[in-house]
Amino acid sequence: MGNLCTCFAPKTVKKKKSTKRSPGNPLSIPNSSNRWNRIRSTRKDSTDSLIQEQALAAAILFRQHQQQNGSGSLPFDRSASLRYPNNLGSKKTQLTRSSTSRALSLTDPLLQPHQLVNQDIKLDELETNHFVLVHGGGFGAWCWYKTIALLEEGGFKVTAIDLTGSGVHSFDTNDITNLSQYVKPLTNFFEKLADGEKVILVGHDFGGASISYAMELFPHKTSKAIFVAAAMLTNGQSTLDMFSQEANSNDLMQQAQIFVYANGNGHPPTAIELDKSLLRELLFNQSPAKDIALASVSMRPIPFAPVLEKLCLSDVKYGTVRRFYIETAEDNAIPITLQESMINSSPPEKVFHLKGADHSPFFSKPQALHKILVEISKMPST
């Protein structure tokens, strides 16, 4: 949320070979009916593939709904979006190198994991292969759809959380009064996690404060924590404190903020909305148009109270979790200077730099982000 005081496989077009026809009755041509059926089938397959690619994000959300709603006998629990890989650990083939040396551009479709550089992933040797993805302010689990697809295809287990009042979670953002309430879906997830099981937390934007809160409560269940263009706070600091460092210099952020006063103008704001006309420049200045369109119809207001709350982070709990930071070089929401200020105030184990990434690298640089996440998962304990 530097907001606050702040896909697809390459398309293959099949070319049909020209067919010479003999004059006369077409019915006399052997197997002509079968050939026509094959042509129609090819056209249909291409159309179906295109539709499936364009609807990937919607399909993921629908699948999340089905998984949570079950047989329909239970009410729809909108607190989290869970996605698990099929046949986990059954893949024996290694990832192969891409067959092209052409540099990627913003118009490149989402590559499949087998087209990425061979990463020699041995899941059974990792401390954990379970990623928990936590969105930023205004976002939801939906924003991770490319990251989810890449990680699952690589054999990882992925849980994408919808925090209270976010994504498909059916709570009114204006009624959120503290950080504990906001991150309840995340803490619920940890409470249900089996003893001895650990996960890798990934937080984006305001999600950095959310995962920090969880790290303090569940350090024994957190293998690593990855901050992606995120609020990485120190003890006694609020997200508002951190963003206030750049408040005077980030005119775009100030222009984009629309404060919501659900309790009346005489009371503090209850939420913050972002001007949709400024979303592209603020959050998605390097992202594909289709992802910006998805965000514009999916983003929700940011609860104000959690942003004001100062975190209590101890060395004996939060401080024991291995932290990593991923910088986004072209970020207009949390400028690189602010990211580096947070890093200097509380140095993580390692810092990664995503060149050409805007505030939403899961859209603008999904392959590069995926590669870093996998690299961090493979880092052994020191």
Side-chain angles (χ1 to χ4, degrees):
M1 162 203 107
N3 331 301
L4 191 64
C5 297
T6 288
C7 357
F8 309 117
K11 300 175 183 176
T12 301
V13 179
K14 297 181 179 180
K15 295 183 178 180
K16 299 191 294 288
K17 295 182 179 179
S18 59
T19 303
K20 295 183 178 179
R21 294 181 176 240
S22 301
N25 189 348
L27 296 178
S28 65
I29 301 176
N31 299 323
S32 61
S33 177
N34 291 339
R35 291 178 184 176
W36 173 239
N37 287 337
R38 285 198 297 271
I39 292 173
R40 288 189 299 177
S41 176
T42 300
R43 289 176 179 172
K44 183 177 184 301
D45 291 344
S46 298
T47 302
D48 289 345
S49 176
L50 178 60
I51 293 174
Q52 289 170 3
E53 290 176 347
Q54 293 176 333
L56 178 58
I60 287 176
L61 292 178
F62 179 68
R63 177 180 168 188
Q64 291 169 352
H65 175 93
Q66 287 182 315
Q67 290 174 332
Q68 294 173 78
N69 202 29
S71 62
S73 59
L74 297 176
F76 178 29
D77 179 5
R78 306 165 80 93
S79 63
S81 299
L82 305 180
R83 304 192 73 237
Y84 302 98
N86 296 323
N87 302 322
L88 187 62
S90 65
K91 295 184 178 181
K92 297 182 180 180
T93 57
Q94 294 183 339
L95 304 180
T96 57
R97 293 184 180 273
S98 171
S99 60
T100 178
S101 59
R102 179 178 61 85
L104 292 176
S105 70
L106 294 179
T107 59
D108 280 323
L110 178 65
L111 297 181
Q112 297 299 322
H114 68 271
Q115 294 174 294
L116 298 174
V117 174
N118 192 331
Q119 300 177 59
D120 298 322
I121 304 173
K122 298 180 180 179
L123 297 177
D124 56 344
E125 296 181 3
L126 302 179
E127 181 181 15
T128 179
N129 68 347
H130 190 172
F131 280 92
V132 176
L133 310 178
V134 182
H135 62 81
F139 291 84
W142 53 266
C143 73
W144 298 105
Y145 79 95
K146 293 181 181 179
T147 301
I148 292 171
L150 288 168
L151 287 172
E152 286 190 344
E153 286 294 331
F156 289 93
K157 182 177 180 178
V158 185
T159 302
I161 302 289
D162 273 324
L163 299 179
T164 304
S166 304
V168 297
H169 192 284
S170 60
F171 196 85
D172 188 347
T173 305
N174 293 295
D175 293 334
I176 299 174
T177 58
N178 54 58
L179 185 59
S180 175
Q181 182 184 16
Y182 179 60
V183 303
K184 187 63 175 175
L186 178 58
T187 55
N188 285 346
F189 164 81
F190 270 106
E191 289 170 355
K192 297 175 183 178
L193 202 62
D195 292 339
E197 185 176 351
K198 291 188 175 185
V199 300
I200 298 174
L201 276 176
V202 182
H204 169 250
D205 186 77
F206 186 35
S210 301
I211 68 172
S212 296
Y213 184 92
M215 291 159 63
E216 178 69 16
L217 294 178
F218 306 98
H220 58 291
K221 292 186 176 182
T222 308
S223 170
K224 301 179 181 76
I226 305 173
F227 294 76
V228 182
M232 188 169 65
L233 309 178
T234 57
N235 181 45
Q237 188 179 32
S238 71
T239 303
L240 180 59
D241 293 335
M242 183 270 293
F243 283 115
S244 295
Q245 300 175 30
E246 293 279 338
N248 295 328
S249 59
N250 196 340
D251 293 337
L252 180 60
M253 178 60 67
Q254 294 182 16
Q255 295 173 30
Q257 294 172 6
I258 303 172
F259 289 88
V260 180
Y261 295 85
N263 297 325
N265 292 336
H267 298 272
T270 54
I272 298 176
E273 294 182 350
L274 296 178
D275 188 335
K276 290 186 182 295
S277 67
L278 297 176
L279 283 182
R280 177 189 295 270
E281 187 176 358
L282 181 65
L283 306 176
F284 312 114
N285 51 296
Q286 301 293 319
S287 296
K290 68 177 84 175
D291 293 324
I292 300 174
L294 171 65
S296 68
V297 298
S298 303
M299 293 191 72
R300 295 178 62 180
I302 305 158
F304 191 67
V307 181
L308 301 177
E309 190 168 328
K310 297 183 183 295
L311 294 184
C312 294
L313 305 174
S314 65
D315 291 337
V316 295
K317 293 183 179 180
Y318 170 86
T320 62
V321 180
R322 301 172 66 188
R323 288 180 293 120
F324 303 84
Y325 200 96
I326 301 178
E327 294 180 332
T328 45
E330 305 298 326
D331 198 323
N332 289 337
I334 304 183
I336 190 66
T337 54
L338 181 53
Q339 296 180 46
E340 292 177 345
S341 175
M342 291 187 288
I343 291 169
N344 293 333
S345 298
S346 181
E349 182 175 324
K350 188 171 182 179
V351 176
F352 296 84
H353 188 80
L354 271 179
K355 184 178 180 180
D358 57 22
H359 186 61
S360 307
F362 36 73
F363 289 159
S364 59
K365 290 291 180 181
Q367 296 88 13
L369 175 61
H370 170 75
K371 183 177 180 181
I372 292 175
L373 295 180
V374 172
E375 181 179 345
I376 292 174
S377 74
K378 294 165 58 179
M379 290 184 177
S381 300
T382 54

